[in-house]
Amino acid sequence: MSEKPVVVYGASGYTGRLVCEYLRHYHVPFVAAGRSEDKLKASMDSNVPGIETADYEVAAVDHDVSALTDLFKGSSVVLNTVGPFSELGPAAVEAALAAGAHYTDTTGEQDWLITCDEKYGAKFAEAGLLLAPGIAQMYTTGEIAAQLCLEEPGLDTLDIAVFWGGSPTIASTRTILVNAATSKAHYLDQNAYVEFPEQGLVPLVVPGQHELALSLPWGGTSHPVWFKRDPRVANCKAQGGVFNAALMNGVPQIVAAALEATKDMAPDDRNAALTETARQVMNQMPPRENPRVNKSLDSVHASGPLGRAHCVIHGNSNYQQTGLLQAYAAYSLLQTPPKRVGFASGCQAFGHRELLGVLRSFGLVSEPQLMVYR
């Protein structure tokens, strides 16, 4: 049982330690939790600037519902960065619910979001708790752009693109492979999930440059799940990728080879093999982000029978955006109830203009470029 109001589960990872850094900014006491006490202490001491001024403690915990419940009891918010979430998320969610804590995570795994919505959403709502998976730059910043477009009445279709500079972390690479091996990507068509066709890389027009960028469905992303219950939206499709064309060209081959090699394996053997493949792609912790290199771009075209809108948000330091959004979610929940309980996105729980203001105040995104065509 913790005496701190917030638990960061997976605090020694790349994203987890950024969450801890921004909790320090907000003066929020927290528990840095994970499987290895030594790794947690080393990560806090070496990788979280200003950690000596933070109010925190370190806690090692086994990944099972009972142990996590014991740890989460006494805390109000659980911020989970431990994936793949379709594999490891259920224990953390069930423990948060048992402990009476709000839950957020950084997932982009569409199958996990659907599970949260359909299996756990009503239970969290009954308990007056928030269940908000997918609060992260790759999803929330794009959702902010979508919500800005939807302030214009009469728009029912969202065409979303997200691009970023740099490369994914070890954990993100493994999650991409596991997600590709175990689930399909979907978009929203007339409020129904439709499976993406096998189409390979798709070139997209990127605002602000002449060169086309390469994209993939990237697991379908969070957006179709979040907007499925939004009465304004009937159709939602999202694509994403990195600006590095060479890396993007390699992704389908890496995924296809990994899936072919593991297709007949038992689940445990397959996961071990996919983990090893991920380490071959990315086997070290990336350096701290450089805003001149690690750029982000979120573009949303919204349309309806008689209107259109387009919103573009340029930003930098994608993982720092994620760390800040997670920390702000905890900071907000400790002071006021969310706008919605049960299953909800970051924007639905805290407000899209509020989250935009948070990102702007830390210099991580520019003023949105919003054009409305009537």
Side-chain angles (χ1 to χ4, degrees), residues 105-288:
D105 69 33
T106 57
T107 190
E109 299 163 52
Q110 195 177 76
D111 59 333
W112 171 237
L113 276 126
I114 293 172
T115 297
C116 285
D117 182 19
E118 297 179 352
K119 184 175 181 179
Y120 299 114
K123 295 177 182 178
F124 270 75
E126 289 171 5
L129 298 171
L130 173 65
L131 173 62
I135 297 181
Q137 181 279 323
M138 190 176 174
Y139 317 103
T140 305
T141 310
E143 190 199 1
I144 292 170
Q147 295 284 2
L148 289 172
C149 288
L150 290 171
E151 290 179 354
E152 178 69 13
L155 307 181
D156 62 8
T157 298
L158 298 173
D159 178 3
I160 300 171
V162 54
F163 288 90
W164 63 99
S167 59
T169 63
I170 301 169
S172 296
T173 303
R174 179 174 181 266
T175 296
I176 291 166
L177 293 175
V178 171
N179 191 233
T182 58
S183 65
K184 299 294 185 180
H186 299 85
Y187 60 93
L188 196 63
D189 184 9
Q190 295 302 316
N191 295 110
Y193 292 128
V194 178
E195 187 177 316
F196 267 95
E198 294 292 335
Q199 57 188 9
L201 293 166
V202 175
L204 292 185
V205 175
V206 177
Q209 67 181 46
H210 294 107
E211 183 180 359
L212 296 177
L214 299 175
S215 71
L216 289 166
W218 222 263
T221 79
S222 307
H223 301 100
V225 187
W226 287 336
F227 285 109
K228 191 174 191 296
R229 299 183 188 277
D230 189 322
R232 300 170 297 175
V233 178
N235 313 293
C236 179
K237 182 180 288 187
Q239 299 261 134
V242 296
F243 288 115
N244 185 329
L247 179 58
M248 280 301 295
N249 276 310
V251 169
Q253 287 83 0
I254 293 168
V255 172
L259 299 189
E260 178 63 26
T262 61
K263 65 180 181 180
D264 298 322
M265 291 183 178
D268 289 346
D269 294 335
R270 180 196 61 209
N271 288 344
L274 292 174
T275 297
E276 182 57 33
T277 301
R279 291 190 179 279
Q280 293 172 14
V281 177
M282 173 61 70
N283 64 357
Q284 60 185 0
M285 195 75 78
R288 187 172 177 84

Side-chain angles (χ1 to χ4, degrees), residues 30-53:
F30 63 91
V31 177
R35 290 179 298 176
S36 169
E37 184 174 351
D38 290 341
K39 286 185 178 179
L40 288 163
K41 288 181 177 179
S43 184
M44 292 299 104
D45 291 342
S46 301
N47 300 115
V48 182
I51 192 63
E52 67 279 1
T53 65

